[in-house]
Amino acid sequence: MSNQAVQARTTALETRLRVANLNVTFGEGEKAVNVLQNITLEVGAGEFVCLLGPSGCGKSTLLNVLGGFLKPDSGEVVIDGKPVLGPDPRRIFVFQERGVFPWMTVEGNIGFGLFRLTKEEQARRIFYYVNLVGLSGFEKAYPHELSGGMKQRVEVARALAVNPDVLFLDEPFGALDSITRLIMRRELLRIWQKERKTVLFVTHDIDESIQLADRVLVMSTRPATIQRVVDIDIDHPRDISSRHYLDLRDQIFEQIGLAHKV
Amino acid sequence: MTSPLQITSRWWRTRLRRAAPWLTLAALLAAWQAAVVLHPRSLIPGPWPVLLGVVELAKKGLLFKYVLASLFRVTWGYLLAIALAIPCGLMLGWYRHCEYAFAPLLQLFRPISPLAWIPISILWFGLGDSAAIFLIFLASFLPVVLATMNAVRNIDSVHLRCGRNFRLSEAQLIWRVLFPAVAPQIIVALRIALGVAWLVVVAAEMIAVNSGLGFLIVDARNAGNRYDLVLAGMILIGLIGLILDIAMRRLEKLPSVQWGYIGAK
Ligand SMILES: Nc1ncnc2c1ncn2[C@@H]1O[C@H](COP(=O)(O)OP(=O)(O)O)[C@@H](O)[C@H]1O
Ligand SMILES: [Mg+2]
């Protein structure tokens, strides 16, 4: 696919998620902290969007609102034409590996959300997703016997197994070492290309966002607004030493107000 | 490379570690025997008469009967207690207003020794098994309720969020997330509670009934200072308590609760 083709694809996507004039304030009176201010964004079906911003700016808060775990003070979140009223298995949250249930095996975790299905269908999906995330042979293992990256795979598989429309990932690779993190990014892209879920991926890592996303939404410090939207019009697998990649990276560094010489 | 010398020394070290408890036990028995020989006029008998005392009890059929009687009371009091305590603890931890209502009351009852309830239990249930079972119930109930409640309060909220995300009903959330999340701590509390129950049954039997290991001890003393039987009773209590504790530790080995003890070991 050429660059133009990528762009054409992203613009042609139907809108999956729409957020208009979202405001969130924590606390009251003197202590009130305005965390999100007038956030407006749109995400297309099957799109991979990164929310990039410094720690504490409100990324998790925004994702919690989108996921239905937190009510905004004003503004609305609409997914597939319907307002979000609460958590829903069609939109699954993935946390930093700590979301896996330590009392269940890999199988048990991946099958956790499948209780409405028949036993055969459960087994089929567990088998499929265990393989998809590369954990075959570890079906009977407990999370405490796994590495951080493997636990993260379990969480992603558990989320995918219920066949959601949207995945929310909140700094999912933040606790992993840098090599595992790179591997997990590649894995996530491979899975995303296969399953084409809509992905909202929160990160404070500029490179991570450019390596993964179709679009990067750059957030400001508190109260967070969306400063800028950067289209990453590079095909996967991305050459991270290409001129264009480095240009985009420079743009974002500048936008965040960081000189990129240490 | 490991040299043959290293291998033998490791072999000896494991041997020694395995033998250590038996060596201390043997030393204790020897010291006991020595003390008895040095103080011949003491009423405390040596290890050998105590062993004969156990044999005597077994021959009269009392050993089996008393052990069974004590275990019977503990089983009933303990099972009733945990059958109520676990759901109560889950509720108290789960519903905040329940906790606000009951926590002060529980804290008030906690420092009251179960033995302080002896007069009231006899008043309510008369002399007999029920009074003893009631005391054991009281002794095991509170620690389990409090531990379960605290475990629920300290649960990792991420797990509950995951459960809600998959749209579990409240009952499913409690059964599939809350309960397994607190199970490791409940198991520890169950083990402690069984230990306390075993302590209390002896005391209860000294007063409220005329069978069981606690009764054996007071009865042996009253019926002619049979200190050999007193000590036999004490040793039996210790042994059975040890066996109960070992059995409860097995629960901690369940694969689905292992995670809860990893940091602690
Ligand atoms: N429940 C809450 N009550 C009060 N303040 C909160 C709450 N949750 C988050 N905050 C504050 O909101 C800000 C944004 O938090 P968060 O969304 O977690 O940031 P990020 O994920 O970008 O690091 C932080 O300053 C944090 O202290
Ligand atoms: Mg965060």
Side-chain angles (χ1 to χ4, degrees):
Chain A
M1 241 186 324
S2 70
N3 286 349
Q4 283 93 349
V6 172
Q7 210 130 44
R9 181 176 59 74
T10 33
T11 43
L13 293 173
E14 59 177 307
T15 307
R16 167 130 286 156
L17 180 151
R18 192 194 309 271
V19 175
N21 299 315
L22 205 68
N23 286 282
V24 171
T25 303
F26 286 120
E28 276 167 26
E30 299 259 305
K31 292 198 195 108
V33 187
N34 188 205
V35 176
L36 299 180
Q37 198 169 53
N38 269 326
I39 302 278
T40 296
L41 61 93
E42 268 187 26
V43 180
E47 196 180 9
F48 196 131
V49 171
C50 272
L51 291 164
L52 174 70
S55 284
C57 76
K59 303 181 296 296
S60 296
T61 306
L62 176 56
L63 214 57
N64 280 331
V65 173
L66 300 184
F69 286 101
L70 184 68
K71 282 221 183 320
D73 295 294
S74 66
E76 68 169 352
V77 181
V78 177
I79 296 183
D80 289 328
K82 291 189 206 77
V84 168
L85 300 172
D88 191 306
R90 284 173 300 177
R91 313 182 280 273
I92 300 289
F93 239 91
V94 175
F95 301 90
Q96 282 180 3
E97 81 199 53
R98 139 182 124 80
V100 293
F101 298 122
W103 54 85
M104 284 179 158
T105 58
V106 167
E107 268 182 346
N109 265 287
I110 295 178
F112 182 82
L114 305 178
F115 53 95
R116 293 184 191 82
L117 305 176
T118 62
K119 281 272 172 278
E120 297 79 56
E121 178 64 8
Q122 289 187 18
R124 201 188 61 74
R125 287 210 197 178
I126 291 169
F127 179 79
Y128 178 81
Y129 285 101
V130 164
N131 283 307
L132 183 73
V133 298
L135 282 177
S136 44
F138 291 93
E139 292 87 345
K140 308 281 184 218
Y142 281 85
H144 63 84
E145 301 161 330
L146 304 178
S147 69
M150 290 161 96
K151 280 188 260 190
Q152 192 64 70
R153 287 163 195 261
V154 174
E155 245 206 282
V156 170
R158 182 179 71 189
L160 290 170
V162 296
N163 193 23
D165 301 327
V166 186
L167 282 184
F168 295 114
L169 298 105
D170 191 355
E171 302 191 21
F173 308 146
L176 304 178
D177 64 84
S178 57
I179 294 171
T180 311
R181 205 179 302 161
L182 283 173
I183 295 170
M184 290 301 292
R185 279 178 205 159
R186 209 175 51 205
E187 287 285 290
L188 182 64
L189 280 173
R190 177 179 63 80
I191 291 167
W192 171 71
Q193 285 170 327
K194 203 160 174 183
E195 304 253 322
R196 281 293 162 186
K197 304 296 180 196
T198 307
V199 175
L200 266 98
F201 186 108
V202 159
T203 180
H204 57 243
D205 182 327
I206 295 174
D207 283 294
E208 183 164 72
S209 69
I210 310 174
Q211 287 164 26
L212 292 174
D214 294 328
R215 273 193 304 148
V216 177
L217 311 183
V218 185
M219 294 172 74
S220 65
T221 50
R222 248 186 13 234
T225 54
I226 291 175
Q227 282 187 30
R228 170 132 185 222
V229 179
V230 181
D231 279 308
I232 312 294
D233 47 357
I234 315 175
D235 291 344
H236 293 289
R238 287 175 179 171
D239 175 1
I240 62 171
S241 58
S242 74
R243 187 71 250 153
H244 192 46
Y245 178 92
L246 296 172
D247 279 346
L248 289 168
R249 195 164 170 275
D250 285 353
Q251 277 181 37
I252 295 177
F253 264 106
E254 244 160 65
Q255 184 65 42
I256 289 181
L258 292 170
H260 47 281
K261 285 199 178 105
V262 180
Chain B
M1 235 180 72
T2 41
S3 73
L5 196 69
Q6 274 174 312
I7 290 170
T8 17
S9 84
R10 199 187 305 149
W11 185 84
W12 275 110
R13 241 181 294 147
T14 6
R15 271 302 145 104
L16 198 63
R17 204 166 44 221
R18 293 242 179 84
W22 302 106
L23 291 177
T24 26
L25 188 67
L28 183 77
L29 284 172
W32 180 7
Q33 182 62 40
V36 170
V37 169
L38 289 175
H39 299 273
R41 271 174 303 169
S42 153
L43 278 176
I44 308 283
W48 186 246
V50 171
L51 189 66
L52 290 181
V54 175
V55 172
E56 181 189 328
L57 287 173
K59 274 190 184 151
K60 283 197 218 156
L62 287 178
L63 179 69
F64 193 61
K65 185 182 156 209
Y66 284 174
V67 168
L68 218 61
S70 295
L71 283 176
F72 167 83
R73 292 174 192 126
V74 165
T75 308
W76 276 107
Y78 180 72
L79 287 184
L80 278 174
I82 65 174
L84 266 171
I86 293 174
C88 282
L90 290 176
M91 288 270 288
L92 288 174
W94 190 242
Y95 300 106
R96 269 292 144 88
H97 43 274
C98 267
E99 187 204 324
Y100 288 138
F102 285 99
L105 209 63
L106 290 173
Q107 296 296 350
L108 181 73
F109 275 95
R110 201 169 61 137
I112 304 177
S113 161
L115 304 184
W117 288 88
I118 288 178
I120 290 183
S121 67
I122 292 176
L123 181 69
W124 283 348
F125 296 98
L127 291 172
D129 279 339
S130 320
I133 290 172
F134 176 67
L135 287 172
I136 293 155
F137 172 88
L138 282 177
S140 1
F141 181 76
L142 276 182
V144 177
V145 170
L146 288 169
T148 309
M149 184 179 89
N150 284 327
V152 173
R153 237 184 323 186
N154 297 328
I155 190 175
D156 189 344
S157 61
V158 168
H159 294 148
L160 295 177
R161 279 185 50 154
C162 289
R164 293 214 168 88
N165 203 164
F166 289 102
R167 200 176 275 157
L168 266 58
S169 65
E170 183 106 335
Q172 284 173 320
L173 199 64
I174 290 177
W175 179 241
R176 297 188 61 204
V177 179
L178 185 69
F179 184 69
V182 296
Q185 280 149 288
I186 292 185
I187 286 175
V188 171
L190 289 181
R191 184 159 67 80
I192 293 169
L194 186 58
V196 175
W198 190 242
L199 287 176
V200 167
V201 72
V202 172
E205 285 170 346
M206 288 184 164
I207 291 153
V209 290
N210 49 20
S211 65
L213 294 170
F215 172 75
L216 168 68
I217 288 174
V218 270
D219 188 51
R221 201 201 81 99
N222 291 343
N225 284 347
R226 289 290 306 274
Y227 281 100
D228 54 339
L229 297 185
V230 170
L231 284 169
M234 288 171 66
I235 289 170
L236 286 171
I237 289 164
L239 277 177
I240 294 168
L242 182 68
I243 292 168
L244 291 178
D245 200 61
I246 290 171
M248 290 303 283
R249 273 181 197 275
R250 290 259 152 138
L251 280 181
E252 292 174 14
K253 295 274 181 284
L254 286 175
S256 60
V257 299
Q258 275 301 294
W259 62 275
Y261 308 118
I262 288 166
K265 270 179 191 159

